[in-house]
Amino acid sequence: MSDSPEKDGAAMTATLDTADAPPAARRPRWWKLLLRDRVATAAAVVLLLVVLATTLGRVLIGDLDTRQNLRATNTPPFSLDHGWEFILGSDALGRSVLARLIVAGGTTLSVAVPAVLVSLVVGGAVGMWAGYHRGWRENVSMRIADIILSFPSLLLAVVVLYIFSPSAANIVAVLAIARIPVYLRTARAESAELRGRLFVDAARTFGTRPSAVIVRHIAPVVAPTLLTVATVDFCFVMLAESSLSFLGIGIQPPDVSWGLMVAQGRQYLQTAWWTAVFPGVAIVITTVSATLLAAWFRLATDPAQRWRLALPRGRRSASPLPEVTK
């Protein structure tokens, strides 16, 4: 028994407050929160299947995506008359649509993922550096971002790829440069607000170098916001690559991407609709899944909103904020 009644009362109040706290206050693991949301779980499973199919599937199919079978040209889908590889039909040259979807998905992801990562790392690092130091660093960074944003991303990519040879490396470079301002402005705003917080002031008081303050104290707080932006931006970059390939200035044959498959199959819409529809469906499913997962990730990384994920989905929008025990 403690000699101080005040301490006993404070300890009892803290215990009751912890017991009455909402489920989100106990910080459940992220995968448990994900499994509570059926839509987000389905989106994550779809994206995982796309990644596995485009990485491991290419090893399993070999050269099936380029092998021609002139006896099976424009084979309709959902038929096993010519083997399992033609389950989604074939194109005008007798090539398996399923195999080409797998290879094209790998090409599309190999362009979209590096472009997002490069713009995320460069834009995030420069934005945190500019927002923390302020002054001329912030002014120069923001003016460069304004110059890049003054050109529409897709139009800039069209002009650059028209001048230079359209290749996967050039597409990654131009899309990454065009999307850097998105992360730069977001990171700059976040770090400019964080530099006035007490924990940052305490780190500076103890003589921590600015680079160490940015890496150890500011970057972990800004990272969830940047990752949420990157998830949504992945959809834009993938659609941009598909649009460029559809216009003929993106991925070039013999390589193939989903956008190029749509472009090659549009002239066969009346006779072989599946050659253009299936890659279009793959683009839609992947982008919608990434958007839904980004919405879930935004809630999961927000301490003020994370508790909503512990509720049934139908009660999230109507539930009031949890009361704070004083």
Side-chain angles (χ1 to χ4, degrees):
M1 190 75 179
S2 174
D3 296 335
S4 175
E6 291 82 1
K7 292 183 178 180
D8 292 341
M12 184 177 296
T13 303
T15 303
L16 292 175
D17 290 346
T18 304
D20 296 337
R26 292 190 286 270
R27 286 183 171 272
R29 296 183 181 274
W30 66 269
W31 59 269
K32 291 183 179 180
L33 292 176
L34 180 62
L35 292 178
R36 288 176 180 270
D37 194 325
R38 297 179 181 177
V39 176
T41 302
V45 170
V46 169
L47 291 178
L48 180 61
L49 291 177
V50 170
V51 172
L52 291 178
T54 54
T55 54
L56 301 179
R58 189 162 190 172
V59 178
L60 299 177
I61 64 174
D63 62 343
L64 191 60
D65 60 303
T66 57
R67 190 185 308 166
Q68 300 181 10
N69 186 356
L70 298 180
R71 295 182 179 179
T73 58
N74 290 335
T75 301
F78 313 117
S79 175
L80 298 177
D81 295 338
H82 298 282
W84 64 268
E85 61 269 22
F86 295 103
I87 186 64
L88 295 183
S90 63
D91 60 8
L93 297 178
R95 297 172 297 188
S96 170
V97 173
L98 174 61
R100 289 177 63 79
L101 276 176
I102 294 174
V103 175
T107 304
T108 300
L109 294 182
S110 67
V111 171
V113 173
V116 171
L117 289 179
V118 171
S119 57
L120 168 64
V121 173
V122 176
V126 175
M128 288 185 288
W129 171 76
Y132 178 80
H133 291 285
R134 306 299 293 267
W136 66 269
R137 300 175 180 87
E138 183 181 29
N139 293 331
V140 172
S141 301
M142 295 307 295
R143 297 298 78 76
I144 294 176
D146 293 339
I147 292 173
I148 297 176
L149 287 176
S150 63
F151 299 93
S153 301
L154 192 58
L155 179 60
L156 179 63
V158 169
V159 173
V160 173
L161 293 176
Y162 182 80
I163 298 174
F164 300 97
S165 60
S167 62
N170 290 338
I171 296 174
V172 170
V174 68
L175 291 179
I177 294 174
R179 304 308 295 173
I180 282 177
V182 177
Y183 303 94
L184 193 155
R185 293 162 69 97
T186 303
R188 197 276 311 172
E190 292 273 346
S191 59
E193 191 271 334
L194 290 173
R195 71 188 301 270
R197 298 284 187 90
L198 290 178
F199 65 93
V200 177
D201 290 337
R204 286 198 297 261
T205 302
F206 283 101
T208 306
R209 293 178 301 175
S211 59
V213 173
I214 294 174
V215 172
R216 297 176 185 176
H217 302 285
I218 294 181
V221 181
V222 179
T225 303
L226 293 181
L227 290 176
T228 304
V229 175
T231 308
V232 178
D233 197 47
F234 167 79
C235 303
F236 175 86
V237 173
M238 192 175 69
L239 290 174
E241 183 278 325
S242 300
S243 301
L244 294 173
S245 298
F246 182 82
L247 295 174
I249 56 177
I251 301 299
Q252 300 296 311
D255 295 331
V256 62
S257 68
W258 284 338
L260 183 59
M261 287 186 67
V262 174
Q264 293 176 342
R266 61 179 175 176
Q267 56 183 333
Y268 301 102
L269 284 176
Q270 295 183 350
T271 57
W273 54 267
W274 51 90
T275 57
V277 170
F278 284 148
V281 170
I283 295 173
V284 172
I285 291 177
T286 305
T287 53
V288 170
S289 299
T291 304
L292 293 175
L293 194 60
W296 173 87
F297 188 77
R298 179 182 59 82
L299 290 178
T301 55
D302 187 355
Q305 300 293 329
R306 189 184 298 116
W307 64 273
R308 295 181 181 273
L309 297 177
L311 299 176
R313 187 171 182 82
R315 295 176 53 192
R316 291 177 189 172
S317 59
S319 299
L321 291 173
E323 296 182 358
V324 179
T325 305
K326 297 183 179 179

